Amino acid sequence: MTKHIFVTGGVVSSLGKGLTAASLALLLQRRGYRVRMQKLDPYLNVDPGTMSPYQHGEVYVTIDGAETDLDLGHYERFTGTYCTKASNYTTGRIYSDVISREREGGYLGKTVQVIPHITDEIKKAIRSLDSDDVDIAITEIGGTAGDIESLPFLEAIRQYRQEIGRQNGLFVHITLVPYIKAAGEMKTKPSQQSVGILRTIGIIPDILICRCERHMKEDHREKLALFCNVDKNLVIEETDVAHSIYEVPVELAKQDVDVYVMEMLNLHVNPLKINDWKEMVDRLINPRNGEIEIAVVGKYISLKDSYKSIYESLTHGGIASDVKVNVRMLESEDIEKKGADTLLSGVHGILVPGGFGNRGIEGKIEAVRYAREKGIPFFGICLGMQCSVMEFARNVCGMKGANSTEFNDKTQYPVIDLMEDQKSVTKKGGTMRLGVYPCVLSEGSKALKAYCTADISERHRHRFEFNNSFRKQIEDKGMMLSGLSPDGKLVEIVELKNHPWFVACQFHPEFQSTPLKAHPLFRDFIAASLQRAAKRKSGKKGKVSSGNAVKSRGK
C-alpha cells in the first residue's frame, strides 16, 4: 500500500514547509521510490486563482489546468514529477464538495458535520494519491499548528494515520528554534508549545525538523527530545542555507532524514543517488562565467513570491550557462515615473512577466520599447507578450494608442482582444484558458532553435490573446509570429527578426523549468544576455559567439 508522510508546521508561518517537503521527496525519489506530493490549504477560497499575488504569491498552474499554491512549484522543480488537481485541496474546495453532495441528497436523513463528513472528505482527498505506481505520498498541511482553520485537516490526518497504521504513515513537524539576540541564546520553548498543541488533538510528531539561524547545541536537542517525546536522533537541524534553496536536500541528507523515514515506514534503505544534484548546486554556487544582471519589470515586485517561478527559472538558465544571474526587480509604475533610461540602464537582459489589470501597463510597454530599440535581449511572458505586441503596433506599425481591450475597450487598434470562447464567461474562478496546450513552431525561429522540435506543449493562464485582425500589418513590419496553435488560430509566440534575442510567449514557460533542466527559452534568454555582457566587456561591436561567451563545463 502507499505509505503516507504528513508535514505540519508550528510557531510561525513561512518556515519553508514546502521546501522541506520537496527536499524530502527528492531524497526518497533518489532512493528509488516513486513519490507524489500534495498541499492541503486551510483558506476558504476554492483555489488561489482569484486572489491577489500580494495575498498569496504566484498562482502555480498544473498540467491539467488547476490553479494552485506556489509550493507545488517547489514540488515539481525538486522532483521533476508533475502535480495535478489532486495535488492541492483547500477548505473551500472540500466544503464545496460536501455542500454540493448534501444539496444532491447524498446525506439524506443525516446532519452534516465537520466530523465525520468534512474530515472524511479530507481523507478522501489524501487517498486520491494512493495508486499502484505511488510508493510514498507526502502531504503538507498549510498554516500553523493552533490556527482554527487548520483543525479539520489535523484531525483528518490523525484519523488517517490511525486507520493505516504506524508503519504506513508518519508525522513530520517543522518548527522554529529562535535565537534571542538580547539573551544571547536559542530558545526551545516555542517548539515545545507547538508540539503541545498537536498532542492535544492526538498527533505526536515522529520527526522534528528545527528551523534555526544558528546551529543547535546538544542540550537543545536533548531538551526538545525530552519535552516533545521525540527520539534525540530524530530532532533534525535545518539552518538557513548560504546560497540557494537547492542546498536543502543535500543538508538534510547529511543528517540521514530520509534513512530514518524509510526505517520508520519499514522500507528498504536503497543507495542514495544524488551526484547530479550536488554537481548542479556546485555550478550554481561557483559559476565560471561571472555575473549578469536581468531586469524583471513587474506589477507585484514588492512581494518576491509573486514571481517565484520566474526568479527560479532565471536561476536555472544561469546554471545552464554557468553564470550567476542577479535580478534587478523593478516596479513598472516606477518606470512610468522615472523613465526606462534611468532604471534599465546597464542591464544585460529584460524580462516582462504576466499580470492582470491596467496599473503599470505603460511602464511595461516602455520597458519593451527600451529593449527593442537598444538591442537588449528581451523575454516577454503572458501579459509581457501582449505588451510587446502593443508596443510594436504603436511605435513600429504606426497604430497610435494600440492597446488591449482588457485596458481600453474603445481603442481604435485592439491588437489584443478577449478570446472568443471567453466572451460568454461570467464567473471568474477557474474559467480562464488553463493548463497545457500544444503549439507549432515556425522554421527559422529562435523558438525552434531553443526547443529543437516544432511541436511543443506549454501551460497557459489567460483570457486575452493576439487579435488576428492585425496579423498582416504586424507581420509586414517585421514581427514574426513564430508559434501558433495547431489549427493556426492562436498566436502563442512572437519574435523580432532583426534583434539579438527578442522572444515573447503567451504561455508560462516558468512552470516547466527545473534546476537540472532549464526551460529552453530561459536557457537561451540567459545565454543571449551573457553574450551581450561579454560583448560589452570586450568593447567589440561585432557579434560575439556563444562559444566565446559561455565556457563549457563538460559534455
Side-chain angles (χ1 to χ4, degrees), residues 20-38:
T20 304
S23 298
L24 179 57
L26 168 67
L27 295 176
L28 294 171
Q29 191 182 63
R30 295 310 184 91
R31 294 278 186 179
Y33 291 100
R34 299 165 298 178
V35 183
R36 288 281 304 278
M37 301 194 70
Q38 182 183 64

Side-chain angles (χ1 to χ4, degrees), residues 215-225 232-233 235 237:
H215 293 294
M216 293 192 298
K217 296 179 180 178
E218 194 65 17
D219 62 323
H220 294 130
R221 293 179 184 272
E222 291 174 351
K223 188 178 288 187
L224 286 167
K232 191 173 75 170
N233 61 335
V235 178
E237 177 184 276

Side-chain angles (χ1 to χ4, degrees), residues 45-188:
N45 302 67
V46 173
D47 60 48
T50 58
M51 295 167 68
S52 164
Y54 290 126
Q55 288 280 313
H56 191 266
E58 76 172 3
V59 174
Y60 192 80
V61 179
T62 61
I63 56 173
D64 56 353
E67 294 176 291
T68 68
D69 184 83
L70 62 81
D71 274 327
L72 272 69
H74 294 315
Y75 300 168
E76 290 198 2
R77 284 188 285 271
F78 277 65
T79 67
T81 302
Y82 289 141
C83 292
T84 65
K85 292 178 181 178
S87 302
N88 194 200
Y89 286 82
T90 67
T91 295
R93 183 175 171 186
I94 295 292
Y95 271 78
S96 178
D97 289 345
V98 169
I99 292 169
S100 294
R101 191 173 301 118
E102 186 275 331
R103 293 289 83 189
E104 293 167 359
Y107 303 108
L108 283 180
K110 296 180 181 179
T111 300
V112 181
Q113 298 174 296
V114 173
I115 301 174
H117 301 101
I118 295 299
T119 51
D120 281 352
E121 194 69 21
I122 295 170
K123 288 189 288 184
K124 180 182 174 184
I126 296 169
R127 201 173 293 113
S128 68
L129 295 185
D130 287 3
S131 171
D132 290 339
D133 62 355
V134 179
D135 299 314
I136 303 169
I138 300 178
T139 298
E140 175 193 348
I141 311 299
T144 306
D147 294 345
I148 292 174
E149 57 264 34
S150 296
L151 288 175
F153 292 98
L154 296 176
E155 171 60 20
I157 65 173
R158 182 198 68 78
Q159 293 178 19
Y160 201 93
R161 213 282 280 273
Q162 185 178 21
E163 292 169 6
I164 64 177
R166 291 182 178 274
Q167 285 194 326
N168 294 313
L170 61 83
F171 297 118
V172 176
H173 189 57
I174 301 171
T175 184
L176 177 69
V177 181
Y179 175 77
I180 308 301
K181 188 175 181 180
E185 59 181 338
M186 298 176 76
K187 293 294 184 181
T188 64

Side-chain angles (χ1 to χ4, degrees), residues 179-227:
Y179 175 77
I180 308 301
K181 188 175 181 180
E185 59 181 338
M186 298 176 76
K187 293 294 184 181
T188 64
K189 187 65 71 177
S191 295
Q192 295 175 41
Q193 293 176 336
S194 175
V195 171
I197 292 170
L198 291 178
R199 290 168 69 178
T200 62
I201 61 174
I203 294 176
I204 300 177
D206 298 291
I207 297 176
L208 201 63
I209 297 181
C210 303
R211 286 297 315 278
C212 41
E213 296 179 25
R214 305 188 177 201
H215 293 294
M216 293 192 298
K217 296 179 180 178
E218 194 65 17
D219 62 323
H220 294 130
R221 293 179 184 272
E222 291 174 351
K223 188 178 288 187
L224 286 167
L226 176 64
F227 289 104

Side-chain angles (χ1 to χ4, degrees), residues 392 442-446 474-475 478-483 491 493-497:
F392 191 81
S442 301
E443 287 291 334
S445 65
K446 291 181 176 67
I474 287 175
E475 283 186 292
M479 178 168 273
M480 182 181 189
L481 312 185
S482 61
V491 176
I493 306 176
V494 299
E495 301 180 12
L496 291 185
K497 298 176 182 178

